[in-house]
Amino acid sequence: MNEDDDAPLESPAESLALISRERDAVSRSVQFNPLAYYLPWGFAWLIGFGLLFLRYGPDGRVFVPLPDWLPLVTLFSLIAAAAIGTVAVSAAKGRHVHGRSAWQGAAYGWTWFLAFAGVGSTLGRFAKYLPENEVGLLWASVSVGVTAIMYLAGSAIWLSREMFVLGAWVTVVNIAGVVAGPGWHSLLVAVGGGGGLILLGVALWVRGRPR
């Protein structure tokens, strides 16, 4: 430790400069990194749903003869990796946050888990009554729909216009995919949903870079 660290500052300007540096340091320690949040999910959707489209295309068409298990295993693996990464990044940033903001973040995180647990149990009970191609569309559309709703809810919690636009966009893409039917839904979610997440993450990162 430098002996001059505790020495009084010579002028108000130096005091203001010190306060500004400390504030910037704290801000960087808790700063939201859009690349860490949006890119893993974007690539998970782009690659996972893209493989589903190639293997299970519209009207049962097979564009690429992939193994039956590969698209879903890839999608679930990428989603699991994205979820683990998001939790790790959020936990690291959350160490510097206390009080109301910490509670908001924790509650929002648990809401994701509880929402998908509830949806999964419900769909698992009733999906067996549908044709096989409709079962895939049901699981995919409801899961994407829940994700969109969570983004919309997050926009209200953190007053984020970007999250609202993202949630609204994913909702529109999901509805269009459901109307188009099995196969097309995977393509629209891969390109529109996954691509939208990637573009948003990059755009927010570029906007937030120091000038």
Side-chain angles (χ1 to χ4, degrees):
M1 182 176 178
N2 194 318
E3 294 181 357
D4 295 333
D5 287 345
D6 295 328
L9 299 176
E10 296 182 358
S11 69
E14 290 186 2
S15 299
L16 292 175
L18 177 60
I19 293 173
S20 179
R21 289 195 299 270
E22 294 297 326
R23 183 173 60 244
D24 290 342
V26 173
S27 177
R28 286 192 299 269
S29 69
V30 298
Q31 187 175 15
F32 169 76
N33 184 352
L35 296 181
Y37 281 88
Y38 291 122
L39 261 62
W41 291 100
F43 282 113
W45 283 22
L46 181 63
I47 297 172
F49 282 104
L51 291 179
L52 283 172
F53 171 75
L54 295 176
R55 176 60 182 84
Y56 303 102
D59 300 320
R61 182 177 179 182
V62 179
F63 293 98
V64 179
L66 300 169
D68 294 347
W69 54 268
L70 182 61
L72 281 178
V73 169
T74 302
L75 177 61
F76 292 150
S77 299
L78 291 174
I79 287 178
I84 293 172
T86 300
V87 170
V89 172
S90 299
K93 297 297 183 182
R95 291 181 303 176
H96 305 282
V97 180
H98 305 281
R100 181 177 179 179
S101 296
W103 162 247
Q104 287 176 319
Y108 186 66
W110 278 105
T111 300
W112 277 90
F113 171 78
L114 295 172
F116 277 97
V119 165
S121 62
T122 302
L123 295 185
R125 174 68 176 81
F126 295 103
K128 60 185 179 181
Y129 299 107
L130 295 175
E132 184 175 354
N133 63 333
E134 297 292 339
V135 170
L137 178 60
L138 176 68
W139 277 96
S141 61
V142 173
S143 298
V144 172
V146 170
T147 300
I149 291 172
M150 290 301 301
Y151 282 130
L152 292 171
S155 73
I157 294 173
W158 287 288
L159 304 178
S160 170
R161 293 182 180 179
E162 292 81 7
M163 291 187 73
F164 182 85
V165 171
L166 176 61
W169 170 249
V170 172
T171 299
V172 171
V173 169
N174 192 42
I175 292 173
V178 172
V179 173
W184 294 116
H185 181 268
S186 297
L187 177 62
L188 288 172
V189 173
V191 177
L197 285 164
I198 294 171
L199 288 177
L200 178 62
V202 173
L204 292 177
W205 176 74
V206 170
R207 191 180 70 177
R209 286 190 304 172
R211 297 295 188 269

